[in-house]
């Protein structure tokens, strides 16, 4: 069974068939083992998203296809996590490290990726990744392990504004983690539990600690686990609705939606319209970073 | 976003003079407190300092002390002490850090100037033009020291200042005179008051002039420099020393402009800072913006020490006018117009709002202003959450990511 960490499974990677493993050990720099210029057709670009909880790595090719990806716990050594993630993602893609053309890092630990050529914020990267799948004006909501963001993008893929949540965990993966613990259920069961809810429970509190107290009261009152689980997901959605107007098409990104796809249904209900979830939403930041790596070539001088 | 070969912050020659002026200010107060050679009045930042000076008081500004506590980050040692004594973590963190330091018998003046304690007041004089917190703050000390607390209740949220507002405040100022005369032990000399008001006016004009040099592209200095060099305008307005200081600084700034010297090498974006400084993080933020090639060219905060209305011909009414016409006293539409004008004058590309947790009075992002300005001016705005002194309300990473993402957004335009 997978124990979920927000956002992501401890280990979750695309299965590749090749076994190529590069000389990734040692500190940055020595990544590209071959001095031979990599042809466009074989080349890959890498995005590394070092989140507060999980590190995601995506490998793309010149056609912008995701060739390999991997997620693992960020732990306390971000450089090590990013190296290991890269190794696994390359492995999954069946690509030797020598074919990497460029690496962009993002996320909380973005400055700790020793082999990155460029650093971008996760706000830019989630936008970039989502815009690839939905190249129109939209509102992107990224719900991560430690924070959430609302990003407005125009029809040319430029951000017109964004908001990050404030310091509270409410509305983030950390909130679900904490409350699942209170309920004594595994985080990975939350989504399926919530789907089985028969009634609506509203959690009103603004903060995680207060919510935990509320949950205790609900348990005492004999409410069902299913109903409480749905209430938790609803409260995450509620916090997001309070952040910023969700105009136009809404795209959901990040680890929390990846593991709790039912959140999208709840948000649809509240908004009264469909919301878009790109494939593998947990990897949107890393994917966007890889796209920046690909597009940023030649801009190096700036 | 990080670039190698980071630009360096450029020091001013005038800084030596600045340090001397500030040191003299505190030593003079300390001397008077020890020997009784002069009476000491504590005054809020836009309280009637001119009147107090004219009556021979040495003037001490607790908010300046609050900013020192913030900048040295010692505030974090003292705020909890005030919280425990009943002063909530939700109220002004200048107040809580200052009161906390007092309760612990400590002051940053010791390390900076070898001064053991803040100068004991003979009177405390506040003006509620900025907030109510100053009133409670001063009453704390009034009780502690057993000295009188005098105050002016100012109108707030004013759209256009009228003669009624001014007459009200002027009358309160005049009514304060007899009590002050008693404490000072001398009558008010109107000629001396005119002289002080003239000096304050001159200081204010020069302060505006030095700030206005940031209209140059590239700008010769940044908000982070302004917060340092505003010292004399804050603690010494109404003295010849402050006037002299800004004359020197102005000359140096003009030199920089002539030489085309930029405060931020390769200045790419020009920003406006709305709200309180985050005192404990000024250096970090200065470096971050420099790294991002952004110059914060103007701010509401530093502009707040421009008092154009002072007029030595009509001291009381003009003081009332100057004190009540500050940004913080005004209504939202007035404030928006004010920011709009600065945006134009300083050729600003983006606005940063600092929402300071413990100072709603200087946090103008809470009633939809960023959204309105963004829409009207077509300029991006960002709200950064933090605090003036209480770093428990500040998330380094969130602020950093927000600012970097904002600059990415500016680059995409
Ligand atoms: S205006 Fe704000 S920072 Fe200044 S004294 Fe009042 S509450 Fe404190």
């Amino acid at each position: 069974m997978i124990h979920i960490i927000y956002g992501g499974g401890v280990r979750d990677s695309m299965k590749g068939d090749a076994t190529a493993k590069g000389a990734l050990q040692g500190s940055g720099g020595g990544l590209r083992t071959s001095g031979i210029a990599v042809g466009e057709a074989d080349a890959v670009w890498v995005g590394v998203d070092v989140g507060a909880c999980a590190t995601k790595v995506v490998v793309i090719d010149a056609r912008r296809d995701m060739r390999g990806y991997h997620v693992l716990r960020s732990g306390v050594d971000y450089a090590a996590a990013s190296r290991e993630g890269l190794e696994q993602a390359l492995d999954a893609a069946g690509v030797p490290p020598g074919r990497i053309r460029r690496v962009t890092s993002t996320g909380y630990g973005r400055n700790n990726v020793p082999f990155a050529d460029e650093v971008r914020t996760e706000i830019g990267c989630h936008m970039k990744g989502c815009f690839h799948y939905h190249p129109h004006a939209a509102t992107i909501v990224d719900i991560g392990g430690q924070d959430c963001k609302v990003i407005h993008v125009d029809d040319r893929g430029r951000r017109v504004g964004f908001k990050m949540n404030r310091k509270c965990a409410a509305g983030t993966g950390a909130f679900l983690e904490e409350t699942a613990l209170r309920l004594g259920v595994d985080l990975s069961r939350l989504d399926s539990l919530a789907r089985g809810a028969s009634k609506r429970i509203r959690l009103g509190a603004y903060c995680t600690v207060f919510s935990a107290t509320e949950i205790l009261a609900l348990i005492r009152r004999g409410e069902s686990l299913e109903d409480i689980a749905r209430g938790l997901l609803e409260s995450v959605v509620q916090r997001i609705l309070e952040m910023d107007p969700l105009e136009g098409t809404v795209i959901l990104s990040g680890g929390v939606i990846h593991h709790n796809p039912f959140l999208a249904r709840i948000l649809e209900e509240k908004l009264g319209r469909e919301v878009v979830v790109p494939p593998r939403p947990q990897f949107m930041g890393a994917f966007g970073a890889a796209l920046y790596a690909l597009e940023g070539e030649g801009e190096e001088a700036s | 976003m990080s670039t190698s070969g980071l630009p360096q912050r450029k020091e001013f020659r005038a800084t030596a003079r600045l340090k001397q002026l500030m040191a003299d200010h505190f030593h003079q107060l300390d001397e008077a407190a020890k020997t009784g050679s002069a009476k000491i009045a504590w005054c809020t930042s836009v309280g009637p300092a001119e009147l107090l000076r004219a009556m021979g008081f040495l003037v001490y500004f607790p908010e300046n002390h609050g900013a020192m506590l913030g900048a040295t980050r010692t505030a974090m040692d003292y705020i909890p002490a005030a919280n425990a004594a009943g002063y909530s973590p939700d109220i002004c963190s200048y107040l809580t850090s200052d009161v906390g330091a007092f309760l612990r018998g400590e002051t940053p003046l010791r390390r900076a100037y070898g001064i053991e304690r803040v100068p004991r007041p003979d009177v405390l004089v506040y003006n509620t033009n900025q907030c109510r917190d100053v009133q409670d703050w001063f009453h704390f000390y009034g009780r502690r020291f057993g000295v009188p607390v005098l105050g002016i209740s100012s109108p707030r949220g004013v759209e256009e200042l009228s003669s009624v507002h001014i007459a009200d405040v002027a009358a309160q100022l005049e009514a304060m005179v007899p009590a002050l005369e008693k404490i000072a032990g001398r009558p008010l000399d109107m000629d001396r008051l005119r002289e002080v008001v003239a000096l304050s006016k001159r200081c204010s004009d020069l302060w505006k002039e030095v700030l206005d040099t940031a209209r140059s592209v590239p700008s010769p200095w940044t908000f982070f420099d302004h917060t340092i060099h505003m010292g004399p305008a804050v603690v010494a307005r109404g003295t010849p020393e402050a006037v002299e200081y800004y004359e020197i600084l102005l000359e140096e700034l003009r030199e920089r402009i002539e030489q085309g010297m930029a405060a931020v090498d390769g200045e790419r974006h020009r920003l406006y800072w709305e709200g309180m400084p985050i005192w404990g993080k000024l250096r970090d933020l200065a470096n971050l913006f420099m790294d991002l090639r952004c110059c914060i060219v103007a701010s509401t905060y530093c502009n707040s020490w421009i008092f154009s209305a002072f007029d030595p011909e009509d001291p009381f009414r003009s003081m009332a006018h100057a004190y009540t016409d500050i940004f913080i006293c005004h209504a939202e539409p007035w404030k928006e117009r004010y920011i709009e004008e600065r945006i134009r004058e300083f050729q600003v590309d983006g606005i940063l709002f600092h929402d300071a947790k413990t100072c709603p009075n200087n946090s103008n992002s809470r009633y939809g202003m960023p959204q309105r300005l963004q829409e009207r001016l077509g300029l991006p705005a960002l709200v950064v959450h933090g605090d003036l002194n209480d770093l428990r309300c500040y998330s380094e990473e969130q602020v950093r990511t927000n600012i970097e993402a904002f600059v990415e957004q500016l680059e995409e335009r």
Side-chain angles (χ1 to χ4, degrees):
Chain A
M1 189 181 70
I2 291 176
H3 170 71
I4 295 179
I5 44 165
Y6 279 110
V10 177
R11 279 179 180 276
D12 171 12
S13 68
M14 180 185 257
K15 286 284 157 275
D17 45 12
T19 51
K21 275 200 181 163
L24 286 172
Q25 45 273 52
S27 59
L31 182 61
R32 280 158 213 75
T33 48
S34 94
I36 308 155
V38 178
E40 195 76 7
D42 312 322
V44 292
W45 289 263
V46 174
V48 183
D49 178 1
V50 185
C53 302
T55 292
K56 287 80 63 176
V57 180
V58 164
V59 177
I60 64 167
D61 59 22
R63 293 196 316 276
R64 296 165 188 253
D65 286 336
M66 241 193 239
R67 291 282 298 275
Y69 57 86
H70 188 75
V71 57
L72 73 164
R73 240 181 222 285
S74 295
V76 289
D77 184 347
Y78 294 158
S82 57
R83 251 190 232 110
E84 150 120 36
L86 174 65
E87 194 169 334
Q88 298 290 338
L90 284 173
D91 196 9
V95 167
R99 281 167 48 190
I100 297 172
R101 281 271 283 262
R102 203 156 177 274
V103 180
T104 298
S105 65
T106 187
Y108 181 75
R110 61 189 177 279
N111 291 315
N112 298 81
V113 180
F115 51 86
D117 298 292
E118 177 199 36
V119 178
R120 291 266 175 177
T121 67
E122 51 270 40
I123 290 155
C125 291
H126 277 278
M127 177 191 78
K128 190 89 184 159
C130 291
F131 191 77
H132 173 82
Y133 288 107
H134 184 273
H136 309 284
T139 300
I140 294 156
V141 179
D142 163 46
I143 314 171
Q146 292 291 332
D147 59 34
C148 53
K149 311 164 192 82
V150 175
I151 311 154
H152 303 280
V153 57
D154 69 10
D155 51 14
R156 290 166 59 189
R158 298 173 308 187
R159 89 198 75 171
V160 284
F162 64 88
K163 248 190 208 168
M164 233 168 135
N165 84 336
R166 299 191 291 181
K167 282 133 276 181
C168 179
T172 71
F175 166 75
L176 292 178
E177 223 172 325
E178 162 75 20
T179 46
L181 193 73
R182 293 281 166 153
L183 288 175
V185 304
D186 195 277
L187 197 49
S188 62
R189 280 181 62 214
L190 221 51
D191 194 71
S192 59
L193 277 173
R195 286 172 197 268
S198 56
K199 72 171 193 231
R200 299 294 155 81
I201 292 177
R202 207 187 157 83
L203 289 167
Y206 202 68
C207 103
T208 308
V209 177
F210 284 6
S211 297
T213 328
E214 258 187 297
I215 289 163
L216 291 178
L218 294 172
I219 295 171
R220 227 174 20 232
R221 226 165 66 194
E223 300 291 354
S224 79
L225 265 185
E226 287 81 359
D227 294 343
I228 298 175
R230 186 188 163 109
L232 290 178
L233 295 186
E234 289 230 14
S235 93
V236 169
V237 168
Q238 199 50 46
R239 295 290 88 80
I240 287 154
L241 290 169
E242 289 159 2
M243 271 177 76
D244 217 31
L246 303 186
E247 286 147 355
T249 308
V250 174
I251 307 175
L252 283 170
S253 172
V256 170
I257 185 66
H258 194 110
H259 296 289
N260 301 281
F262 189 53
L263 261 179
R265 298 290 85 75
I266 296 174
L267 183 59
E268 280 176 345
E269 247 175 56
K270 300 239 182 226
L271 291 174
R273 60 183 197 272
E274 236 179 277
V275 308
V276 176
V277 181
R280 291 185 282 278
Q282 182 174 24
F283 292 90
M284 275 309 103
F287 179 54
L291 292 172
Y292 272 122
L294 173 66
E295 289 175 10
E297 257 179 343
E299 281 177 17
E300 217 70 312
S302 70
Chain B
M1 269 285 145
S2 43
T3 36
S4 51
L6 298 185
Q8 286 295 308
R9 196 161 171 183
K10 292 162 191 163
E11 289 304 332
F12 282 83
R13 286 195 311 272
T15 308
R17 194 66 159 252
L18 172 72
K19 285 186 178 152
Q20 192 57 51
L21 189 150
M22 298 305 284
D24 290 347
H25 164 74
F26 288 113
H27 284 301
Q28 222 181 9
L29 280 163
D30 188 44
E31 171 75 15
K34 282 177 178 154
T35 63
S37 59
K39 300 279 184 190
I40 293 169
W42 288 18
C43 185
T44 54
S45 61
V46 191
E50 285 67 25
L51 184 58
L52 296 168
R53 256 190 236 292
M55 299 181 84
F57 288 99
L58 291 181
V59 189
Y60 169 82
F61 297 89
E63 284 156 83
N64 171 243
H65 193 248
M68 283 180 83
L69 290 161
T72 53
R73 287 188 288 274
T74 49
M76 299 317 296
D77 302 332
Y78 305 134
I79 293 171
N83 294 160
Y87 287 88
S88 160
D90 292 332
I91 65 167
C92 174
S93 61
Y94 271 173
L95 184 165
T96 50
S97 35
D98 189 64
V99 164
F102 183 82
L103 291 173
R104 297 261 303 264
E106 291 169 17
T107 168
L109 296 175
R110 186 174 302 152
R111 257 197 87 183
Y113 306 109
I115 292 171
E116 287 305 313
R117 56 184 62 83
V118 293
R120 190 184 194 286
D122 296 289
V123 62
L124 298 132
V125 187
Y126 66 84
N127 187 343
T128 61
N129 49 359
Q130 55 191 92
C131 65
R132 64 156 282 175
D133 294 59
V134 289
Q135 187 172 355
D136 299 277
W137 187 357
F138 278 32
H139 275 293
F140 168 86
Y141 288 113
R143 287 188 297 270
R144 280 288 168 146
F145 289 113
V147 297
V149 181
L150 307 175
I152 299 162
S153 300
S154 289
R156 299 281 313 270
V158 179
E159 183 48 35
E160 285 304 338
L161 209 57
S162 73
S163 54
V164 178
H165 296 121
I166 295 169
D168 166 17
V169 175
Q172 293 188 57
L173 281 166
E174 287 185 85
M176 199 178 264
V177 172
L180 286 174
E181 284 177 331
K182 227 172 100 196
I183 300 161
R186 63 163 95 162
L188 170 66
D189 173 349
M190 281 304 284
D191 288 335
R192 175 71 187 131
L193 180 60
R194 285 193 191 95
E195 208 177 291
V196 174
V197 169
L199 283 166
S200 278
K201 166 76 170 148
R202 181 77 190 118
C203 174
S204 151
D205 289 349
L206 279 162
W207 177 237
K208 179 174 184 336
E209 232 177 304
V210 292
L211 286 177
D212 278 350
T213 61
R215 293 190 196 192
S216 296
V217 182
S219 170
W221 64 337
T222 80
F223 168 63
F224 301 104
D225 301 314
H226 306 163
T227 57
I228 296 168
H229 293 274
M230 71 191 288
V234 173
V235 303
R237 68 173 212 256
T239 71
E241 288 79 13
V243 170
E244 184 207 30
Y245 180 70
Y246 290 116
E247 280 165 351
I248 293 166
L249 183 64
L250 182 59
E251 211 169 293
E252 191 172 348
L253 282 161
R254 285 184 175 148
E255 235 173 67
R256 282 190 171 198
I257 293 171
E258 248 164 59
Q259 295 163 356
M261 192 205 264
V264 174
D265 283 323
E267 175 190 294
R268 286 165 75 106
H269 302 289
R270 298 165 62 83
L271 306 176
Y272 186 86
W273 182 275
E274 163 42 51
M276 291 296 289
I278 304 169
W279 288 109
K281 293 289 165 184
L282 283 185
R283 187 158 287 276
D284 291 356
L285 289 172
N287 290 337
L288 174 63
F289 282 106
M290 206 172 272
D291 187 9
L292 296 168
R293 317 267 163 182
C294 291
C295 186
I296 301 181
V297 289
S299 67
T300 308
Y301 180 74
C302 292
N303 282 351
S304 297
W305 276 264
I306 299 171
F307 308 103
S308 309
F310 282 135
D311 177 4
E313 295 306 310
D314 191 0
F316 277 102
R317 280 181 51 88
S318 79
M319 282 190 293
H321 189 168
Y323 302 156
T324 318
D325 204 16
I326 53 176
F327 183 91
I328 205 167
C329 274
H330 282 285
E332 298 274 294
W334 189 99
K335 289 179 176 172
E336 286 171 31
R337 276 201 308 281
Y338 180 93
I339 294 173
E340 233 176 297
E341 280 164 26
R342 303 292 87 73
I343 298 286
R344 265 201 310 275
E345 289 169 359
F346 288 85
Q347 304 181 51
V348 166
D349 327 307
I351 314 170
L352 299 164
F353 284 86
H354 171 209
D355 187 311
K357 176 80 166 69
T358 71
C359 179
N361 314 288
N362 277 307
S363 297
N364 287 294
S365 55
R366 298 185 184 180
Y367 298 83
M369 193 191 292
Q371 287 80 355
R372 286 193 298 276
L373 283 179
Q374 268 186 109
E375 190 150 318
R376 203 156 65 234
L377 306 177
L379 278 188
L382 176 73
V383 182
V384 170
H385 294 272
D387 192 52
L388 41 142
N389 273 16
D390 193 344
L391 296 176
R392 296 175 300 187
C393 310
Y394 181 82
S395 158
E396 187 91 53
E397 179 50 33
Q398 282 221 20
V399 169
R400 196 184 174 90
T401 301
N402 268 300
I403 290 169
E404 286 185 10
F406 186 65
V407 175
E408 285 175 355
Q409 179 181 344
L410 291 171
E411 304 267 312
E412 280 163 20
R413 278 160 69 83

